[in-house]
Amino acid sequence: SFFDDVFFSSEMGTRKPSEKSFKLVLDKLQENPANCLFIDDNEENLAGAKQLGMQVIHFKNLELLENDLKHLGIMIEK
């Protein structure tokens, strides 16, 4: 419920970390990459998104994800 859109590469027919995956999402959203966030548990998959200027979070566990989202101002303290 925190995100407006969620995309799964397996449903899009592309593979991460290819920039093509992220370009498809950006085209669909018609959004500036700096306004987009990509979260993945595989650090290698972050490269394509980061290269295009997207914000990225390496998911390690829920507590760290919540901290990262708070740091970005996406999630507020409870």
Side-chain angles (χ1 to χ4, degrees):
S1 64
F2 291 108
F3 304 102
D4 296 328
D5 295 285
V6 178
F7 298 90
F8 298 95
S9 57
S10 60
E11 294 174 3
M12 296 171 25
T14 62
R15 296 188 65 139
K16 300 171 290 189
S18 165
E19 285 185 19
K20 179 181 178 184
S21 300
F22 304 105
K23 286 180 181 178
L24 287 171
V25 170
L26 293 170
D27 287 346
K28 181 172 172 75
L29 295 176
Q30 293 294 295
E31 188 60 71
N32 182 321
N35 296 332
C36 298
L37 171 64
F38 176 64
I39 302 168
D40 200 292
D41 62 341
N42 184 339
E43 192 169 15
E44 293 176 12
N45 289 340
L46 303 176
K50 194 171 188 176
Q51 188 75 18
L52 290 172
M54 296 173 71
Q55 298 178 74
V56 298
I57 293 178
H58 180 203
F59 178 83
K60 296 176 185 168
N61 61 54
L62 187 55
E63 183 179 342
L64 289 174
L65 175 61
E66 287 178 354
N67 288 336
D68 289 339
L69 292 172
K70 288 174 189 171
H71 179 34
L72 291 172
I74 295 171
M75 185 173 170
I76 58 172
E77 298 280 339
K78 294 181 184 178

